[in-house]
Amino acid sequence: MNEIKSKRKRCVSYCTAVSYDLTALANSLDRKDYLIKLSRDVLFVSILKNGSEMFIFNHGCFVCWGLTKRAEQKWMHYIKTFARDPLANIEMDFFSYQMGDDTTIISHERFKLDIITLESTNPQIKLAISYGLAQSIKLESFEAAVQVTVQKNSILPTDIANYGSISLSRRAIFKRMGEIFLARSSINLNSEFLDTPEFFWRNPNFEMYYTITSKFLDIPARVTALNQKLDVLQELLDILNSQLQHKHSTLLETIIIALIMIEIFISVFQLHVL
């Protein structure tokens, strides 16, 4: 068992921000210490002194291959400098990888560990798998954000069912609507990161490795579930909008009634005076 463990290395995916400035990050690295390749959506960094590698994606995720936990923490702190809208809660997913005859991903029930087996050290294979790992951890971030918003507003339908209205002021309703809208829009604007990456349009020979990863992490089903939760948020938004319109209509009715009463009072006063 110790022999098998010694052949395995760490593979960890992180989601720490909404996005990264990859160009600035690439320009900041010393070319003597790193082999760097920058494309439209990913920065490949090979650390020459130990052969470990990283794939840093512009949608706020990065995947480390062969780094120690301490090195990963250092890189996370460094990359944070180039992050746009850092996340309050960092998402991470841990794997172990080893070399073998075929590329596979399995769950080892005994050791409670997900193991990636690579048929080659080709960085393109690691990149293909990393696309799937990055999508999965980004999806976890989306799932967590939606779940928090749904839980925070889950009492609203109950209030309407029990009392016929929501016990929130107009200002509070506007704030809730803003929070829900931001949650929906941030995910919708970044939903392209959950589609098959363009990399595989140009490199179809490596798509099978991405597919293996996507199936193992159940990404298609999770995307469907996320869309269903977004539909729930839309329903909550509709409820709040309806309640806001109701409050506005009630206010207008109250004003109209008050004006009519004032008019009646003035008329009665004038008659009394005359």
Side-chain angles (χ1 to χ4, degrees):
M1 186 174 98
N2 291 332
E3 182 181 356
I4 294 176
K5 281 187 175 181
S6 65
K7 294 179 181 178
R8 294 180 187 154
K9 296 182 180 180
R10 290 170 60 89
C11 176
V12 187
S13 57
Y14 292 92
C15 181
T16 67
V18 172
S19 63
Y20 299 136
D21 185 346
L22 295 186
T23 302
L25 177 56
N27 292 335
S28 72
L29 297 175
D30 189 341
R31 304 283 171 158
K32 295 179 181 179
D33 298 328
Y34 308 104
L35 174 64
I36 300 170
K37 184 176 181 180
L38 176 63
S39 64
R40 189 180 70 87
D41 62 346
V42 60
L43 173 64
F44 169 64
V45 179
S46 177
I47 304 171
L48 299 178
K49 65 180 180 180
N50 59 20
S52 55
E53 297 165 320
M54 284 195 306
F55 298 93
I56 307 171
F57 296 87
N58 62 354
H59 55 69
C61 303
F62 64 96
V63 182
C64 305
W65 293 82
L67 273 72
T68 63
K69 185 176 181 180
R70 183 178 179 181
E72 290 168 9
Q73 294 300 315
K74 287 183 177 180
W75 274 102
M76 185 187 302
H77 181 73
Y78 184 75
I79 293 172
K80 184 178 180 180
T81 309
F82 304 92
R84 301 187 183 101
D85 299 321
L87 301 179
N89 297 315
I90 293 173
E91 302 289 343
M92 66 167 290
D93 202 0
F94 177 81
F95 296 81
S96 180
Y97 77 95
Q98 62 189 10
M99 303 307 298
D101 297 330
D102 298 302
T103 298
T104 60
I105 307 178
I106 62 171
S107 291
H108 200 303
E109 297 296 335
R110 182 179 175 185
F111 302 127
K112 297 181 180 180
L113 185 67
D114 295 330
I115 302 173
I116 301 172
T117 300
L118 299 174
E119 66 192 61
S120 168
T121 57
N122 186 344
Q124 297 284 65
I125 295 179
K126 289 182 180 178
L127 173 59
I129 294 174
S130 294
Y131 269 111
L133 299 181
Q135 280 187 346
S136 178
I137 201 65
K138 190 69 175 182
L139 193 53
E140 283 190 30
S141 176
F142 287 158
E143 290 166 342
V146 170
Q147 189 62 30
V148 168
T149 306
V150 169
Q151 287 180 348
K152 183 177 180 180
N153 295 280
S154 60
I155 195 173
L156 299 181
T158 304
D159 281 351
I160 292 179
N162 292 336
Y163 309 111
S165 64
I166 297 173
S167 57
L168 293 174
S169 65
R170 283 173 57 85
R171 180 181 178 84
I173 290 177
F174 271 123
K175 289 182 67 176
R176 292 290 181 94
M177 290 175 67
E179 291 170 1
I180 293 174
F181 180 78
L182 285 175
R184 278 184 54 84
S185 61
S186 65
I187 294 172
N188 287 331
L189 290 173
N190 291 282
S191 61
E192 63 179 285
F193 302 128
L194 303 180
D195 296 331
T196 301
E198 292 183 10
F199 170 79
F200 301 108
W201 300 355
R202 302 184 300 273
N203 303 273
N205 293 337
F206 293 100
E207 187 170 357
M208 61 175 290
Y209 304 107
Y210 165 77
T211 302
I212 289 172
T213 309
S214 179
K215 287 183 178 179
F216 177 81
L217 296 170
D218 207 19
I219 291 177
R222 289 166 59 196
V223 169
T224 300
L226 179 65
N227 286 329
Q228 291 173 346
K229 289 183 179 180
L230 288 177
D231 289 340
V232 172
L233 288 185
Q234 181 60 50
E235 291 174 3
L236 288 172
L237 192 60
D238 292 341
I239 289 174
L240 289 172
N241 188 49
S242 175
Q243 183 67 17
L244 192 62
Q245 291 178 354
H246 174 71
K247 284 181 176 289
H248 183 65
S249 299
T250 302
L251 178 61
L252 288 178
E253 290 174 1
T254 302
I255 293 173
I256 292 172
I257 292 173
L259 290 174
I260 292 174
M261 291 181 64
I262 291 172
E263 185 178 357
I264 293 173
F265 176 78
I266 293 174
S267 299
V268 171
F269 178 77
Q270 290 175 340
L271 289 173
H272 180 73
V273 172
L274 295 176

